[in-house]
Amino acid sequence: MFKNIPMRHLIPLLLLSSALVFVIFFYAVSLPAAKKQAERHSQQQTRAVLQVQHGRFADLLLLQENSQLNKEIYYVSTDPNTYRVLILDETNTVKYSSRSRYIGKNINDLGLPVQEDLIEQASKERRILLGQPSANSPYIAGYAALQFTRDNKDYRWRLIIIRDYKRITDAILEIATYPSEMLATFLLLVSVTAIIVLRSHLERRTLPLLQTASRISRGEKNVRTAIEGTDEFADIAASLDQMASRIDAQRLELENAKLNAEKANAAKNYFLHHMSHEIQTPLTALLGFIDLIKETGLNTEASLYLRTMETSASTLSDLINDLLETSRLEAGTVTPVPQAFCLNTNIQSLLDTLLPRARDKGLSLKITCSDDEPIWLDSDPRIFRQILVNLIGNAIQYTEKGTINISIEPVAVADDETDLTITVSDTGIGISEKDIPRIFNRFFRSNAPNVRRQKGAGIGLTTCMSFAKLINGSLDVESTLGVGSSFTFRVLVPSSIPEREYDFSALSMQQQESLLILLVEHTPVSQLLLKSILEKTGHRVETCRTAEAAIQFMKRRLIYPHLEQASLVLMDLHMPEVDGFRAAEEIRGLDSRYERTPIIATSTQNDQVMRDKVAAEEFDGFIAKPIDRRILAEEIFRVTRQLGAKKDVVSEELRDSEPIAEPAQSVN
């Protein structure tokens, strides 16, 4: 309580508190005790009066000396402390009183401070009783029995004397208060005098100490106190001077160490900058040649060696990039360079490098965006790319099976600002609860065996956090061990005006998940071309050359629900016998669940008439031939994104159906 109070205030405060404690003690203890004594004294006087008068009044009543009785009552009431004198009969009716207007009235109707139960008790027990004074009343009532026999008749009357003890209390309090007030005043005067003297002395001795300590805390050099003497303050001053001397020596050592560290850091940055370039140049060439070799016909053993080389080279490249970026962040040489860029294009370019790694592990990448329009920002695209490359790369590295979800949520908070949230979620090994607070520490890696098996230096997330803070963003993580992790990057970034007309193909070129697509194309060359394009983007393709074969394919999925349902149908409109319009209608009519299956039409006729006809029929999209890979990917992304929820419902319904054994024959 007192640890933060200066000593020059504490000692005077204690003296003043002592005086105040005495005053409080007087008013809290002495005064109530004096008041209690006054009550006891008044009760004693009331009892004495009753003892003297009740026998006298009984005799006068027996002799029927009414005149003398009234004189006695008057005599008793002349006492300034006597408030009322009353004589009651058995029915509590006033027979005699110091106030004539009370005579003939019931005691309960007079509003006097009496207690009826004590009246009856005193009459019954034939003894004197005293009532207890209340907190709000200065009166004490005494009760006595008046018993006499007259004309062979017993009378049991009652005597009540009410006394006012306020005057006695005031007199006692006045006697007790005067010396106490004088003593309290004296103590207050002594305390005030001691406060003035002690404060002056303490300030004179402590102020130089405080000033010296303040100068030392501000970093001033060669600061010393100027206090002399043999008291405690002089000892404190000597200790403070010794501490100041040691601080000066340590400061000099730290300044020299800082200078040497800055020189070493500059040399390190120079080395990393030049060596990273020298290492990355041949490494980039190595990765390029590996990609070219993959397109050639290699045997199984050579393909295994090539994949191992590619994984090691990619890991080394990522490590060098992380080290370089960390070094630049530490040196403070990374400065955001705002420029207009499209986030969709940014994500497309980084996915070009990450999708092969995901496919090699059998993972699906799923991107969801709350806005179909391209997202144009005015910030540094390099920072966004670095953050997302690390987050998505980690998700791929620590996920063995399942899906990696990338959620993009842009919210326009003003005409020129966007509140952007990007969440990367995986179904990987997860992070333990005790490791989450340390996950962004440099070089931190969990001791879990499934983490130690993975390659890495533990600086990727540190770099992400540093980049996020560099653009006033935040990076948060939620994870459950054995279930997966979710990293959320949030930033308020200025919006930008699109520099050119832009469609959504930049993002849709990367298929977010592997789909089972039914390709209905009667021309073998077109069928082979479309099948190759779709498979290169990660899809699985089933082909049919006729509408009848396509209808049979879809029927089989109804008869044998354990077979995987087609996620999308790519339908040629110009087929012999049954065209694409009729085929789509037949498929929709097979089952209500197929009303939600996306169907994209393809045609060499690319005019408004055909587009309007397709829009009015059973189709969800349209692609004109010759088919452009970007447009194909864009249209697939659009319809599956819009109807994804419906597709999930169909798959769930089919999975819940009872399976039937699959026949031996196959459909085209």
Side-chain angles (χ1 to χ4, degrees):
M1 175 179 176
F2 298 106
K3 64 180 181 180
N4 295 323
I5 300 178
M7 187 168 58
R8 64 179 185 275
H9 296 157
L10 181 59
I11 295 178
L13 182 61
L14 291 176
L15 290 174
L16 182 61
S17 300
S18 300
L20 292 176
V21 167
F22 177 80
V23 174
I24 293 172
F25 174 80
F26 169 73
Y27 283 102
V29 178
S30 298
L31 286 182
K35 185 177 180 181
K36 193 68 176 178
Q37 181 62 33
E39 292 176 2
R40 286 197 296 268
H41 181 73
S42 182
Q43 286 178 335
Q44 291 173 357
Q45 286 188 337
T46 303
R47 180 180 292 274
V49 172
L50 283 171
Q51 289 175 344
V52 172
Q53 297 297 332
H54 88 281
R56 175 66 176 166
F57 288 170
D59 293 339
L60 293 175
L61 288 171
L62 177 62
L63 299 174
Q64 296 185 351
E65 296 288 342
N66 294 335
S67 175
Q68 185 62 31
L69 181 59
N70 287 325
K71 289 180 182 180
E72 291 290 340
I73 292 175
Y74 173 75
Y75 170 75
V76 174
S77 64
T78 56
D79 184 350
N81 295 321
T82 300
Y83 177 62
R84 295 288 185 269
V85 179
L86 303 140
I87 296 177
L88 314 179
D89 63 7
E90 291 88 343
T91 62
N92 288 337
T93 301
V94 179
K95 294 296 186 179
Y96 299 91
S97 173
S98 58
R99 292 290 181 92
S100 59
R101 61 187 178 90
Y102 290 165
I103 297 174
K105 296 182 180 180
N106 191 281
I107 189 66
N108 296 324
D109 299 332
L110 301 179
L112 295 175
V114 297
Q115 295 172 266
E116 186 175 359
D117 57 336
L118 292 180
I119 296 174
E120 298 298 334
Q121 184 179 354
S123 177
K124 181 179 180 180
E125 298 178 1
R126 301 177 62 183
R127 63 190 182 94
I128 297 174
L129 298 177
L130 298 176
Q132 295 296 326
S134 63
N136 300 323
S137 175
Y139 303 111
I140 296 177
Y143 311 91
L146 294 176
Q147 296 185 4
F148 60 93
T149 302
R150 190 171 61 197
D151 298 332
N152 297 324
K153 182 179 180 181
D154 294 331
Y155 292 89
R156 302 176 64 87
W157 288 14
R158 298 87 181 262
L159 171 63
I160 300 176
I161 297 178
I162 303 174
R163 292 180 60 83
D164 184 356
Y165 67 94
K166 185 175 185 305
R167 292 184 180 182
I168 299 175
T169 302
D170 292 344
I172 294 176
L173 292 179
E174 184 177 356
I175 295 173
T177 301
Y178 180 74
S180 300
E181 288 180 346
M182 293 298 294
L183 180 59
T185 303
F186 173 75
L187 288 176
L188 287 174
L189 290 175
V190 171
S191 299
V192 171
T193 303
I195 288 171
I196 295 173
V197 174
L198 287 173
R199 181 180 177 85
S200 176
H201 174 72
L202 292 174
E203 284 188 348
R204 187 171 66 254
R205 300 296 283 173
T206 58
L207 188 59
L209 294 174
L210 295 175
Q211 291 175 344
T212 301
S214 177
R215 293 174 62 190
I216 293 174
S217 66
R218 291 197 299 268
E220 297 185 20
K221 300 179 181 179
N222 301 321
V223 179
R224 301 294 184 270
T225 61
I227 296 180
E228 298 178 353
T230 58
D231 59 359
E232 294 83 355
F233 296 103
D235 295 339
I236 296 174
S239 300
L240 187 61
D241 290 342
Q242 293 177 3
M243 183 183 67
S245 299
R246 288 195 296 269
I247 290 175
D248 288 340
Q250 292 174 358
R251 182 185 290 112
L252 182 60
E253 293 178 1
L254 290 174
E255 289 176 351
N256 293 333
K258 179 183 177 183
L259 181 61
N260 294 332
E262 289 176 349
K263 292 180 180 179
N265 190 55
K268 179 199 70 174
N269 291 334
Y270 179 82
F271 173 80
L272 285 176
H273 176 73
H274 287 275
M275 288 304 297
S276 63
H277 174 73
E278 297 297 329
I279 296 174
Q280 284 282 29
T281 299
L283 191 59
T284 302
L286 176 62
L287 288 169
F289 280 115
I290 289 174
D291 193 50
L292 291 177
I293 295 174
K294 288 165 60 178
E295 300 294 332
T296 64
L298 298 176
N299 58 35
T300 303
E301 184 177 7
S303 299
L304 177 61
Y305 294 159
L306 191 65
R307 284 198 300 270
T308 304
M309 290 173 58
E310 183 181 29
T311 301
S312 300
S314 299
T315 302
L316 180 59
S317 178
D318 293 341
L319 177 59
I320 293 173
N321 287 331
D322 288 342
L323 286 173
L324 181 59
E325 293 299 338
T326 302
S327 176
R328 292 174 59 211
L329 287 168
E330 289 179 350
T333 58
V334 179
T335 303
V337 180
Q339 65 182 76
F341 74 97
C342 180
L343 181 64
N344 309 74
T345 305
N346 192 287
I347 294 178
Q348 173 194 3
S349 63
L350 67 91
L351 286 181
D352 286 338
T353 61
L354 296 175
L355 271 177
R357 292 172 53 190
R359 290 173 184 159
D360 289 343
K361 298 183 71 172
L363 303 176
S364 296
L365 288 177
K366 183 177 180 180
I367 300 179
T368 59
C369 184
S370 60
D371 192 349
D372 289 337
E373 297 298 323
I375 305 168
W376 283 86
L377 307 174
D378 187 11
S379 186
D380 194 331
R382 300 173 304 160
I383 292 178
F384 279 79
R385 178 182 176 84
Q386 189 69 29
I387 293 174
L388 294 177
V389 164
N390 275 289
L391 294 182
I392 300 174
N394 282 351
I396 295 174
Q397 180 177 356
Y398 294 104
T399 302
E400 296 301 327
K401 61 180 180 178
T403 303
I404 296 171
N405 296 289
I406 305 168
S407 172
I408 306 170
E409 296 182 12
V411 178
V413 296
D415 293 338
D416 57 350
E417 283 188 321
T418 298
D419 188 359
L420 181 64
T421 301
I422 301 178
T423 302
V424 179
S425 304
D426 61 58
T427 56
I429 61 177
I431 306 169
S432 65
E433 185 176 354
K434 65 182 181 65
D435 288 338
I436 288 179
R438 301 181 291 168
I439 197 68
F440 294 106
N441 294 345
R442 188 189 312 166
F443 302 120
F444 172 77
R445 299 197 73 205
S446 174
N447 291 322
N450 51 1
V451 175
R452 287 296 175 185
R453 287 197 298 266
Q454 303 293 335
K455 299 178 181 179
I459 59 177
L461 290 178
T462 305
T463 304
C464 288
M465 179 62 77
S466 300
F467 274 125
K469 292 180 178 179
L470 197 63
I471 56 175
N472 298 321
S474 64
L475 186 60
D476 302 304
V477 59
E478 295 180 0
S479 184
T480 302
L481 190 63
V483 177
S485 303
S486 178
F487 289 84
T488 302
F489 168 52
R490 296 183 179 89
V491 63
L492 184 63
V493 60
S495 304
S496 176
I497 300 176
E499 296 181 345
R500 58 185 173 84
E501 184 178 356
Y502 187 83
D503 58 21
F504 214 81
S505 61
L507 185 58
S508 63
M509 282 292 293
Q510 311 302 334
Q511 290 300 322
Q512 292 75 33
E513 56 182 330
S514 178
L515 304 177
L516 176 60
I517 298 178
L518 174 60
L519 174 60
V520 186
E521 176 62 56
H522 77 286
T523 304
V525 175
S526 298
Q527 187 183 94
L528 179 62
L529 174 61
L530 287 174
K531 187 174 185 293
S532 300
I533 292 174
L534 293 172
E535 289 179 342
K536 282 184 177 295
T537 55
H539 298 302
R540 290 163 292 118
V541 183
E542 292 285 347
T543 59
C544 294
R545 294 185 58 183
T546 64
E548 291 85 354
I551 295 171
Q552 290 300 318
F553 178 91
M554 300 300 285
K555 282 183 178 180
R556 282 169 55 84
R557 264 56 188 173
L558 294 175
I559 299 173
Y560 309 105
H562 66 282
L563 298 177
E564 183 179 0
Q565 184 65 224
S567 303
L568 179 142
V569 179
L570 199 61
M571 180 76 69
D572 181 17
L573 295 180
H574 308 288
M575 290 183 294
E577 299 181 2
V578 179
D579 62 13
F581 293 101
R582 178 70 180 275
E585 183 179 359
E586 290 284 339
I587 291 174
R588 297 292 193 199
L590 290 176
D591 192 272
S592 61
R593 290 168 287 184
Y594 284 157
E595 295 176 1
R596 294 165 291 194
T597 300
I599 303 178
I600 299 177
T602 63
S603 173
T604 56
Q605 183 180 347
N606 185 19
D607 54 21
Q608 192 60 41
V609 175
M610 177 57 71
R611 290 182 177 273
D612 292 341
K613 185 177 180 181
V614 168
E617 295 293 336
E618 303 287 345
F619 297 95
D620 301 290
F622 174 80
I623 302 174
K625 296 180 180 180
I627 293 177
D628 184 90
R629 293 179 61 182
R630 290 190 313 161
I631 298 176
L632 174 61
E634 175 187 5
E635 196 69 355
I636 292 175
F637 173 81
R638 185 185 65 81
V639 299
T640 55
R641 183 173 180 272
Q642 290 177 349
L643 302 177
K646 297 180 179 180
K647 179 200 69 175
D648 293 340
V649 173
V650 172
S651 300
E652 187 68 27
E653 292 175 350
L654 290 175
R655 284 195 299 269
D656 293 340
S657 301
E658 183 178 354
I660 302 177
E662 183 180 0
Q665 71 271 19
S666 61
V667 178
N668 176 329

